[in-house]
Amino acid sequence: MPVCCFAEAFTIEQVLSAPFPSALTTAAHAPRVAWIFDHKGERNIWVADAPDFVPRQVTRYAGDEGQQIAGVRLSPDGKTIVYARGTEVNKEGTSANPLSLAKMPKQQAWALNLGGGEPRLLGDIGCSEEGCEDLQISADSKTVVWPAKKHIWIASLDGKKKTEQLEELLGESDTPRWSPDGKRIAFRSNRKDHSFIAVFELATKKITYLAPGTSRDAGPQWSPDSKRVVFIRQPGAELKRPLIPEFPRPWSLWIADAQTGEGHELFRSGKAMEDSLPLFAFESLKFTDNGRIIFASEKDWRRS
């Protein structure tokens, strides 16, 4: 006698409305974690504290408004959370408006004091790629920077200082990174076919370019002593280069003095296809606490 198994029936609505947590993040110097929780399209931020890690909701956005939450960051002291709300912009520079609201929604940066109070608007973001929200909080938990409208913006987490544009450079500025001592910000100044790593000194407003040339520099990371910056260098973009045949993507690792801008090469990839820039090259690049540098490489099919 044949035996048949029957799966329990479920609806498309049940599948689409299943709760979904994502984007878990931690506070550097506090026993607290935060994450995004999507319940039936209703997106909010939740936090939990050690040792019991009992979850609690800290934002109160109601209903499925179609507005994403991304770029969630806890301040190092765990007292404040920053995040982006709204969808990335399209080619016309507008965010999604799934509810057909009379006032178009914007992708914006927000801050929330976890001790109480309502979210505070920091400013617009309006980036154009998935995962492009890049809010960075200073080590003293007082200030946040992020890229928007082709420039770097800065705001105080307590709201006592007005949000302002940090620089007025040509091209497009992105990937801001605080020095551990909080005195400088390294970022990329993108000029399309080439780019620089620049360091902005907050006290003097001075900008220093690190070993500038005609290459494409990106991915700045600070040394623990705030004196040096390591970054990835690729050759300048070649215009009208054919897609076929496929070409290798050579790259090198550079380090520079944040004060003088003088730098030198630490590592150079091979010229074969397998030596090309690894997929997670920028995510893997890190300084360790003892000053050593970790990075990914496919040179000779080994990890370096």
Side-chain angles (χ1 to χ4, degrees):
M1 185 176 186
V3 178
C4 182
C5 300
F6 295 92
E8 184 177 350
F10 57 85
T11 66
I12 295 297
E13 182 181 359
Q14 288 174 324
V15 173
L16 295 178
S17 63
F20 187 78
S22 63
L24 181 68
T25 188
T26 63
H29 305 300
R32 174 169 287 171
V33 297
W35 66 94
I36 302 167
F37 193 68
D38 185 335
H39 179 60
K40 294 184 178 180
E42 187 175 273
R43 302 165 179 87
N44 280 287
I45 298 174
W46 290 61
V47 300
D49 301 334
D52 299 325
F53 291 104
V54 177
R56 60 186 176 93
Q57 184 178 335
V58 295
T59 60
R60 301 293 171 182
Y61 299 112
D64 183 2
E65 300 177 315
Q67 300 302 313
Q68 300 287 344
I69 292 179
V72 176
R73 298 283 188 276
L74 276 166
S75 59
D77 62 11
K79 296 180 180 180
T80 308
I81 197 163
V82 297
Y83 59 96
R85 188 168 188 266
T87 65
E88 300 86 5
V89 298
N90 56 25
K91 292 181 180 180
E92 284 70 41
T94 59
S95 296
N97 185 15
L99 297 183
S100 298
L101 300 175
K103 185 176 181 180
M104 289 290 292
K106 294 181 179 180
Q107 185 190 47
Q108 297 174 312
W110 296 80
L112 175 64
N113 185 345
L114 297 178
E118 296 296 320
R120 183 176 64 83
L121 177 63
L122 297 174
D124 294 341
I125 298 181
C127 59
S128 59
E129 299 176 358
E130 185 176 356
C132 57
E133 304 84 1
D134 191 11
L135 295 104
Q136 299 288 326
I137 303 176
S138 59
D140 61 6
S141 301
K142 294 182 179 180
T143 314
V144 58
V145 295
W146 70 95
K149 303 176 183 178
K150 299 184 178 182
H151 296 285
I152 306 298
W153 296 75
I154 187 168
S156 62
L157 291 184
D158 59 13
K160 294 181 179 180
K161 293 183 180 180
K162 182 181 178 181
T163 299
E164 62 179 355
Q165 183 178 314
L166 195 65
E167 42 69 41
E168 297 182 353
L169 299 179
L170 297 175
E172 184 171 353
S173 301
D174 57 26
T175 57
R177 295 295 180 265
W178 286 96
S179 61
D181 62 11
K183 296 179 180 180
R184 298 181 179 92
I185 298 169
F187 61 94
R188 180 180 71 155
S189 178
N190 187 11
R191 311 296 173 86
K192 294 186 179 180
D193 61 349
H194 66 288
S195 56
F196 309 114
I197 298 301
V199 171
F200 182 91
E201 188 171 10
L202 278 85
T204 64
K205 310 298 182 183
K206 176 186 175 183
I207 292 180
T208 302
Y209 292 99
L210 306 185
T214 58
S215 302
R216 289 174 294 156
D217 298 341
Q221 295 291 331
W222 284 93
S223 62
D225 60 7
S226 299
K227 294 181 178 180
R228 298 169 296 163
V229 177
V230 66
F231 56 92
I232 289 173
R233 170 166 287 183
Q234 298 179 80
E238 296 182 34
L239 301 179
K240 299 183 180 180
R241 191 176 193 179
L243 297 177
I244 300 175
E246 189 175 0
F247 295 91
R249 299 174 60 204
W251 61 284
S252 58
L253 196 65
W254 278 66
I255 191 168
D257 186 292
Q259 186 72 34
T260 66
E262 296 180 0
H264 63 274
E265 184 178 274
L266 294 174
F267 168 86
R268 177 179 290 273
S269 70
K271 298 180 180 180
M273 283 296 300
E274 59 266 23
D275 296 326
S276 296
L277 186 71
L279 181 61
F280 299 106
F282 295 104
E283 292 86 347
S284 67
L285 182 58
K286 294 288 185 295
F287 257 105
T288 64
D289 291 340
N290 62 3
R292 302 192 71 179
I293 300 168
I294 298 174
F295 65 99
S297 168
E298 296 291 347
K299 187 174 183 178
D300 295 330
W301 295 97
R302 294 194 301 268
R303 293 288 177 182
S304 300

